Amino acid sequence: MTILRAGLAGIAALAIAGPLLVIANPPTITPPVKVVVPRTRVVPQAELPPVEPVRFVNLAPQDARSFNATVPFSTEPNPAARPFIFAGAPDDLARATDCLAAALLYEAGDDAVGEQAVAQVILNRLRHPAFPKTVCGVVFEGSDRSTGCQFTFACDGALTRRPSEPGWKRAREIAVAALAGSVYAPVGYATHYHTDWVVPYWQSSLDKVAAVHTHLFFRWTGWWGTPAAFTRHVLSGEPIIPKLARLSDAHGMGTALAVNAEGEATLAGLTLNARGLAPLPSDPNSFLTTLDPSHPDTFAALALKACGDRPRCKVMGWTDPSDMGFGLPLNDEQIAALSFSYLRDRAAGYEKTLWNCVQFKPVAGRQCMKRQLMRATAAQPLPDADADDAPAPPVPELDGVRRKPVKPAPVSTSAPTPTPKPTPTTATGQDSR
């Protein structure tokens, strides 16, 4: 009995002392993260929803994760997207496949589930009227705007790091399947996603519908997020993306360009009318010609046709016949008026197609010319015309994606030399669509 009474007395004492200790020494409770992200209105069906630039709330990764965990999933139905089957020409399909595969691998890593989810978002965008109507156009949207790329890998230098062969092969297999009708149902009609360690401002105007590993997927609120909004057809003519040339044969400039029927007719007309595209008498590897300004997409095809199998070739074109040069070297006025140029030197591994971006609006797949590049004459080796455009050294192999580049080893010098003060740089986005 005595032992029982002692036990009960001890329990009673603890019951009184325990709460007193907690009151006297309260635990530290971290207040919930408060993020003020103004919710935009639901865009009515009569208006096209804007594709917002990629901007982020200033939060530490852990705070961003805490906030994202408080964002509820939509309770509205989340139907699977309809199968998409690519119906373009073989060249278009090859370019679309490699654009999609690059996005999958560099955005999701060598992760089959994540890659399928990213592929579904890209194909959803392809069918939505707010986005470009080619696969490559969707993937590389924003690369020519100050607001930055919609898909981070296209602008952050990731493409300078070569993925492993098995990883690239798997990404292409998933891309091929997606373009042949494979659907990743869990993300439904999502058109946006971001990693859980960032909070983009656009998040407040969309509905959260799914989570795949560390990525959260969203669709527009209201009618623009319903299946009825995803009815647009894909355009023909997948653009060549020079950034993919090292990774994809379909995007290398050694391949012929496919143009639509109107482009074929225009190209034929140019072939007949632009001085017959005959080489200069003084240089059988150089062509000077006039071009039709209404069809800039045919310029590269025209140049490739003119150069044929020549290991070295140069094509220079003007849209105004009065500006055209008829011999090399060109004078300053002719150089300034150039509309297009194509330079090739296969022995040096050099091939570049350039447009005058003052005359033609920059679009995905086009590179803007540098004026000094055009000062090369037929007697000058093409790669030496501009040191910045010389062939780059081989890029390192990369087993995964989004790895930090290896820091170069410090270079020792016999005497210190002054170095210019570095200019601060800023990042435009982190894994956000």
Side-chain angles (χ1 to χ4, degrees):
M1 257 337 249
T2 303
I3 296 174
L4 180 60
R5 289 194 185 96
L8 292 174
I11 293 172
L14 288 174
I16 296 173
L20 291 175
L21 289 172
V22 172
I23 293 172
N25 301 280
T28 301
I29 300 176
T30 303
V33 178
K34 293 184 179 180
V35 179
V36 179
V37 183
R39 186 173 182 86
T40 60
R41 68 188 180 94
V42 176
V43 179
Q45 182 177 349
E47 300 178 26
L48 189 66
V51 180
E52 299 181 26
V54 180
R55 296 188 301 115
F56 300 93
V57 179
N58 186 19
L59 287 175
Q62 191 55 47
D63 290 338
R65 285 193 175 98
S66 298
F67 172 77
N68 286 324
T70 68
V71 178
F73 288 95
S74 172
T75 58
E76 297 296 322
N78 184 34
R82 291 177 291 106
F84 174 85
I85 299 178
F86 191 92
D91 287 346
D92 285 340
L93 177 58
R95 287 192 286 272
T97 299
D98 287 349
C99 280
L100 184 57
L104 307 189
L105 186 58
Y106 283 93
E107 288 290 300
D110 192 4
D111 166 20
V113 175
E115 289 178 354
Q116 291 175 67
V118 172
Q120 192 61 58
V121 167
I122 291 171
L123 296 185
N124 288 346
R125 286 191 170 203
L126 187 62
R127 284 175 159 172
H128 200 282
F131 299 97
K133 295 279 95 41
T134 63
V135 176
C136 294
V138 168
V139 171
F140 287 89
E141 182 182 11
S143 60
D144 57 343
R145 298 199 311 256
S146 60
T147 51
C149 295
Q150 286 289 308
F151 292 88
T152 311
F153 86 98
C155 285
D156 67 1
L159 284 169
T160 63
R161 305 191 298 277
R162 191 185 303 277
S164 67
E165 287 299 325
W168 176 242
K169 180 180 178 182
R170 276 187 290 271
R172 289 195 82 258
E173 289 172 351
I174 292 173
V176 167
L179 294 173
S182 178
V183 173
Y184 185 73
V187 301
Y189 282 90
T191 50
H192 297 68
Y193 66 82
H194 67 81
T195 52
D196 62 3
W197 62 77
V198 296
V199 178
Y201 279 99
W202 55 249
Q203 185 198 94
S204 63
S205 61
L206 280 73
D207 288 336
K208 181 178 173 182
V209 296
V212 179
H213 299 167
T214 60
H215 284 77
L216 306 175
F217 291 79
F218 299 78
R219 69 182 177 213
W220 266 304
T221 57
W223 185 84
W224 289 107
T226 65
F230 295 80
T231 58
R232 293 299 187 269
H233 297 291
V234 180
L235 297 178
S236 61
E238 288 284 340
I240 285 180
I241 307 298
K243 291 182 179 181
L244 295 180
R246 292 178 177 175
L247 193 61
S248 162
D249 290 339
H251 290 275
M253 288 311 299
T255 60
L257 296 180
V259 293
N260 56 28
E262 184 180 5
E264 292 278 2
T266 303
L267 179 58
L270 289 172
T271 303
L272 292 175
N273 297 328
R275 300 183 62 201
L277 279 183
L280 294 177
S282 60
D283 184 354
N285 296 317
S286 295
F287 298 80
L288 304 180
T289 184
T290 55
L291 299 166
D292 183 349
S294 63
H295 294 285
D297 290 336
T298 65
F299 294 173
L302 177 65
L304 290 173
K305 185 172 183 179
C307 289
D309 295 330
R310 288 176 173 84
R312 285 176 52 87
C313 189
K314 179 190 304 180
V315 178
M316 298 181 181
W318 294 260
T319 54
D320 186 341
S322 64
D323 294 327
M324 180 177 169
F326 292 90
L328 295 176
L330 303 176
N331 61 40
D332 289 343
E333 290 76 15
Q334 293 164 342
I335 294 172
L338 267 170
S339 302
F340 169 82
S341 70
Y342 172 74
L343 305 174
R344 173 198 292 173
D345 188 337
R346 287 178 176 165
Y350 183 89
E351 195 163 20
K352 189 170 288 290
T353 307
L354 303 168
W355 280 258
N356 184 328
C357 291
V358 175
Q359 297 181 17
F360 303 105
K361 180 180 177 180
V363 299
R366 291 185 194 165
Q367 288 183 288
C368 298
M369 64 172 53
K370 296 179 181 180
R371 297 299 185 191
Q372 64 268 30
L373 182 65
M374 305 314 304
R375 294 184 180 276
T377 65
Q380 294 174 312
L382 297 178
D384 296 335
D386 185 346
D388 292 336
D389 290 309
V395 295
E397 288 290 331
L398 186 68
D399 291 334
V401 294
R402 294 199 171 278
R403 302 278 183 87
K404 293 182 179 179
V406 179
K407 293 183 179 180
V411 179
S412 60
T413 57
S414 56
T417 56
T419 57
K421 184 178 180 180
T423 303
T425 59
T426 58
T428 59
Q430 299 178 16
D431 293 307
S432 174
R433 302 312 134 256

